[in-house]
Every structure is written in structure tokens, then in C-alpha cells.
Amino acid sequence: MTTTTTATVTPPAETAPAGPRASWAAVLALAGFEARRLLTRLPVLLAFAVYIGWIVWRTRTSYAGFPALQDADRDTQTAPLLVGLAVLLSVNQAVLRARRYDTERHFAVLVLPPWRRTVAHLLSLVPAVLLVAVCVGGQFGWEALKPGALGNGSPGELLAGPLSVLLLGALGVLLARLFASAFAAPLLLVVLLFFSLFTAMSQEGDATRWLMPVVDDYSIRTLPSELLGRPAAWHALYLAGLALSVALAAVLASGEGAGARSRSRSGSGMGRVLRGRFVGNRGVHAGLAGAVALTLLGAVMQTGGVPTETEKARTRYSTAPQELQKCVERDGTTYCAFPEWTSRADDWAEVVDRVNSLAGDAVQDRSLVVRQRVEARYGLTSDAAMDPLTAPDQVSVGTMWGGNRVPEFAVAVAGVLVTGKEAVAGTLCDGRIVTVMWLALAGGSDPLSDLRDIRVDDSTSGSAVVVSETEPLSMTAAHTELVRELLDRPREEIGAKVTAHWAELTTPEVTTDRTAQLLGLDAPEEADECQE
């Protein structure tokens, strides 16, 4: 008798179907993988190497150690564009990788539909953007930690660099979803470079230039923070909205929206967007509409021009600075500065004391007023000169400091000590120029280098124009010859003669030859054009 035994086999537990949670986990895993690949692509590595090298090379000596932070924040914007262009090319190639190697059909068996893969590529941009933000923060922080730093930076200005990288990266993803050709991204770069050159020639007040990611106004003179008139916050909103719009458009162009259950396999990505052949993407459409609204809001608000309040403030700062300044006294000299520059009084006092010490007892009873001035009525990029002060014993000082600004200010101080008025000092063309230049330069650590720095042609011989915040001085070849000879002599020896003959050296009738005689020098061999 045969006994039949029936075995009951328990089937293995079914694997839970991949749901939304598993899909998003896969999206994050793919994003991490693509982010690592993106950061190790050669163009991106080279761009970051150049970018970081530029930061170190420039920031070491920028602003001669005396940065105004309202200028330093704008300096963080242009260089990240190099990284942004490299990211655009690299992420575009990453999205096209499957098509390029003919592996697109293999993705059909995965849990990631095209739109989720697009989201993963967009998320892969985040580490590069954050790294740029760290570089921007490092560059600005380096400037802010310099002992001579002052002023106030703008968060909106600092966001422009990272947001530009995000925007360019999102453009790379969108191009890959719209066009299968690998040449689309390089062509876009050519268009962007051409448009950037066009907008770079636009002037302050031209609304179209704010459509570019970066609007770096190069200022000849530093303006107080409240006078800049740059819509930095609105521009940051514009960039953020535009980057989000491009990213969501890339998701739609991939053929499906969030939660889609079916998609069309025919037509180009652009065609699917236009015909709307995908379902379940209302959230993406709503997000895109909101992002476009933010972009338009930022675009409209940033093109409103310089506010009326800012225009009025610029006029007030330019014509009536004394109403806005705080004044302190140091050793008989009064220093009046705008609120952001009050800490600069000690630096000015050091120069004034040095020039006064060379003149000796002859100027002990002189009480100078050093007044900070700025010409802001013509905008951030204007190079308009300031009129010299006409009141006695008043010296103008600008908003920039360090480097050749120090001997420039010393010349202004010496000019007022010798002539009594800044307006008169700018018209000198006699022997008094020799005394002025010696007083200004002799106390420096490298007088000849300072002489070169304050002359327009960077020379130490012949005739030249001496740069100034107001009216420049004109040195003849004879003046230059005598000044160089004086700078070669012992400072104490020449200082004693200057003090002894102060009255005659500072009279309007003194000639260059007579100045040389009083200071123990031979008559100059070079021509004295002003007196011919």
C-alpha cells in the first residue's frame, strides 16, 4: 500500500512593491551618485581650482588691506560664473549619458521614470552650489576680517554667485531634456557670452542689464552703503525664481510630472510639454506657475531704477557732508567722517601728524579740519572729480584708503599747510610745489615709490600730473628734479631748513630756483615750464 504525502510549500514572502518612498530613496541615491560624478568631472575640477586660486591670489592684497564691504560683496559675483559654465556643460553631458551610450531603454525596468531621474540630476547640483557658497563666504569673510575693513555687505549681493551656478546648472538639465544633441549646451554658452558682453556696455539705470545673472558695477570711488541704489534683494529673488522655473520646466520636459502613471513615448520633450501628454502633474504645473510669478516679481522690481530716496541721499552726501558726519579731535586737528568711516580717523591722523612733524614749529599753531567727501550725484560708476574746499585750513579726504591713497592724502595735507587753502593748492605752479611734495613724501618708508604712485604716468622724472581727490597738482621737470634730490638728503637736515625758511618757502612769489637755494641745492637743470 502506497501512502501519498502531500507537502505544503509556503511561498516566499512577496517583496513589497516599490512605492513612493522607495522611489524617492532611489532618487536620492541617484542624486548622490551624480553629485559625486559632477564634482569630479575635469571641467568642474579645473573651474573650482581656478576659482579658489583666484580668491587666494586676489584677496591677499585687495583694497590694500582697507576694504569697504559694500564693494567687497560685489567682488564675489563674477568668478562663480566660471564654475557655473563648467557645471552647465557637465550636468548636460550627465543627463545625455544614457542616450549617448544607448542605455536609455534599460532604465525602463527601473523604479525611476524619466521625471524622477531629472529630479535626481537637479538635486545633484546642490553640492556644487553649496561649495560655491562656501567659497563666497570665505572670500567675503576674509575681507571682513582685515583690520582695515569697514562698511556693510549685502546678503542679496552674496547670494548672486551661488544662485547663478544653480541657474546655469538647471539650464544644462533643461537643455538635455529638450535637445538630444550635445552641441546645444556649447551653443547656449556662446549666446550667454555674447549677451553678457552686450549688457556689460550698458550704463547704470539700464533695466536690461539686470536680466543677466551678475551685474557687477565697477565703482571708481566707494560710496556709503545707503547710496548704492542696487536692488540686490530683488535680483536674488529674480535669480531664485528663474532657477526654480527652469528646474521645474526640466521636470515637465522629461515627459512626466509628479505622480504620473502614464506618459507618451512619441514626440520630442518640448512637444510633450506643449501638448500636455502626461497626467498627474498638477503640482508641478502649480509650482512652475509660482516660480514664474516670483521671477516676474523680481524682474519688475529690480528694474525700477535708483529710488528717489537714494537720489536725494546722494545729493545730500555730496553737497552737505557736514550735516551727516561725526567729528573727533586728535592733537588739535578735527576729523569729520561719515558714520561708516569713523574708525578711519586714526589712520588719517597718522598721516597728518607725520606731515606736521616735518614742518616743525612753523605749523604748531595751525588747526586743520580733515573732512571726508564723496561725489555721489552721478552714480556708482561715475568718476566725477570733487571741487576743492575754499575754507581755510580744511583738507578733503575720500572714501578709499590704502596704497597710493595714503601719499595722495599726504599731498593734500601738505598743500593746505603751505598755501592755507585747498583751492589754492590745486593751482600751484611755482617753487612751493617742491616744499609741498617734500613734506608729503619724506616721512614715508619708500618716498620714491610713493612719488611714482601719485603721478599719473608712474614716473619719477620729467613733468607729470599728481593725482588728487580734488584738483591735481602739476609738477614740472625742474620740480621733479629738486624733489628727488631732497628725498636723497637726510630728512633732519632738510627739515631744519624748511622750518628756518618757512615764511619765504610758502610765499606765492617764491620761484623754483629760489626754493633750491633756500634748501641748499643747486638750481635745477631741467626746464621749469610753468615759469617760462
Side-chain angles (χ1 to χ4, degrees):
M1 180 175 180
T2 303
T3 302
T4 303
T5 303
T6 303
T8 302
V9 179
T10 303
E14 294 185 2
T15 303
R21 181 176 301 177
S23 297
W24 282 113
V27 168
L28 294 177
L30 179 59
F33 171 78
E34 292 294 349
R36 289 190 295 272
R37 286 184 63 96
L38 180 63
L39 290 176
T40 55
R41 290 292 301 272
L42 183 60
V44 176
L45 288 174
L46 289 177
F48 269 111
V50 173
Y51 177 34
I52 295 173
W54 177 87
I55 291 176
V56 175
W57 174 78
R58 185 186 185 281
T59 313
R60 286 184 306 108
T61 57
S62 59
Y63 301 101
F66 295 89
L69 299 184
Q70 58 264 38
D71 289 342
D73 56 6
R74 298 200 306 278
D75 290 342
T76 65
Q77 297 181 2
T78 305
L81 291 180
L82 176 64
V83 176
L85 296 178
V87 168
L88 187 156
L89 286 173
S90 298
V91 76
N92 181 266
Q93 294 297 310
V95 178
L96 293 175
R97 188 189 308 121
R99 185 182 298 272
R100 190 165 62 251
Y101 292 111
D102 195 27
T103 58
E104 183 70 29
R105 61 183 182 274
H106 297 300
F107 284 105
V109 302
L110 300 181
V111 297
L112 291 181
W115 76 269
R116 289 187 185 270
R117 299 204 303 272
T118 300
V119 172
H121 283 292
L122 291 170
L123 291 176
S124 73
L125 301 173
V126 174
V129 174
L130 291 179
L131 185 55
V132 170
V134 170
C135 292
V136 167
Q139 180 183 352
F140 182 76
W142 190 348
E143 297 284 12
L145 292 175
K146 291 181 179 179
L150 48 71
N152 299 282
S154 167
E157 301 284 10
L158 296 174
L159 285 173
L163 288 176
S164 298
V165 175
L166 179 62
L167 171 60
L168 291 172
L171 274 175
V173 176
L174 177 60
L175 284 175
R177 288 309 186 193
L178 294 180
F179 307 101
S181 174
F183 294 102
L187 287 176
L188 176 64
L189 294 185
V190 174
V191 173
L192 290 176
L193 291 175
F194 176 80
F195 190 54
S196 65
L197 291 176
F198 174 76
T199 55
M201 296 184 293
S202 60
Q203 301 295 322
E204 184 179 6
D206 188 347
T208 58
R209 66 194 188 121
W210 286 100
L211 298 177
M212 291 297 293
V214 170
V215 184
D216 185 17
D217 287 321
Y218 176 73
S219 55
I220 306 300
R221 288 188 173 90
T222 296
L223 299 186
S225 302
E226 63 178 293
L227 305 186
L228 295 184
R230 285 173 56 88
W234 290 117
H235 188 61
L237 178 64
Y238 162 75
L239 289 178
L242 186 58
L244 183 58
S245 299
V246 172
L248 292 175
V251 174
L252 291 178
S254 64
E256 294 190 25
R261 297 179 180 274
S262 64
R263 61 187 176 90
S264 171
R265 298 180 179 272
S266 62
S268 65
M270 178 61 78
R272 288 195 298 270
V273 173
L274 295 178
R275 293 191 297 270
R277 294 182 180 178
F278 41 85
V279 296
N281 50 21
R282 294 178 181 177
V284 180
H285 278 147
L288 179 59
V292 171
L294 287 179
T295 304
L296 293 177
L297 176 62
V300 171
M301 297 303 295
Q302 74 181 358
T303 56
V306 179
T308 303
E309 296 77 9
T310 302
E311 294 280 9
K312 292 180 179 179
R314 287 180 174 181
T315 301
R316 189 167 62 253
Y317 270 81
S318 302
T319 59
Q322 66 277 3
E323 298 177 0
L324 305 161
Q325 294 176 338
K326 297 179 180 180
C327 298
V328 295
E329 186 174 336
R330 300 276 195 279
D331 298 326
T333 299
T334 302
Y335 301 90
C336 298
F338 297 122
E340 291 175 305
W341 277 266
T342 53
S343 61
R344 193 74 84 222
D346 292 336
D347 298 311
W348 300 334
E350 182 180 345
V351 176
V352 172
D353 292 343
R354 187 180 72 204
V355 176
N356 277 335
S357 66
L358 294 177
D361 297 337
V363 295
Q364 290 301 313
D365 59 343
R366 300 285 292 277
S367 297
L368 298 181
V369 176
V370 175
R371 187 171 300 283
Q372 189 175 40
R373 302 174 63 205
V374 64
E375 178 52 80
R377 288 172 291 182
Y378 307 105
L380 187 63
T381 58
S382 172
D383 192 20
M386 295 182 293
D387 294 329
L389 295 170
T390 57
D393 296 330
Q394 290 201 13
V395 186
S396 296
V397 64
T399 54
M400 301 179 72
W401 192 249
N404 61 353
R405 301 295 178 179
V406 177
E408 281 180 30
F409 176 58
V411 171
V413 174
V416 173
L417 288 178
V418 170
T419 65
K421 293 183 179 181
E422 192 171 71
V424 176
T427 64
L428 288 182
C429 198
D430 51 48
R432 289 177 292 177
I433 288 185
V434 177
T435 305
V436 168
M437 298 304 295
W438 183 83
L439 288 173
L441 302 175
S445 58
D446 191 351
L448 284 180
S449 178
D450 290 342
L451 176 63
R452 182 183 300 108
D453 290 342
I454 62 175
R455 288 159 63 102
V456 172
D457 59 356
D458 296 326
S459 68
T460 57
S461 61
S463 60
V465 174
V466 177
V467 294
S468 171
E469 289 286 349
T470 57
E471 291 294 332
L473 290 173
S474 296
M475 293 183 67
T476 67
H479 294 150
T480 305
E481 178 186 341
L482 292 183
V483 170
R484 289 193 58 175
E485 290 186 26
L486 290 174
L487 294 177
D488 288 337
R489 300 288 184 90
R491 188 183 309 166
E492 294 76 11
E493 172 190 335
I494 302 302
K497 292 179 180 179
V498 168
T499 302
H501 301 288
W502 180 262
E504 189 172 358
L505 286 172
T506 58
T507 183
E509 290 76 22
V510 67
T511 64
T512 303
D513 290 346
R514 179 56 179 166
T515 299
Q517 183 181 2
L518 292 172
L519 297 178
L521 303 177
D522 294 332
E525 297 179 359
E526 299 286 351
D528 195 8
E529 296 91 344
C530 287
Q531 300 180 42
E532 288 183 348

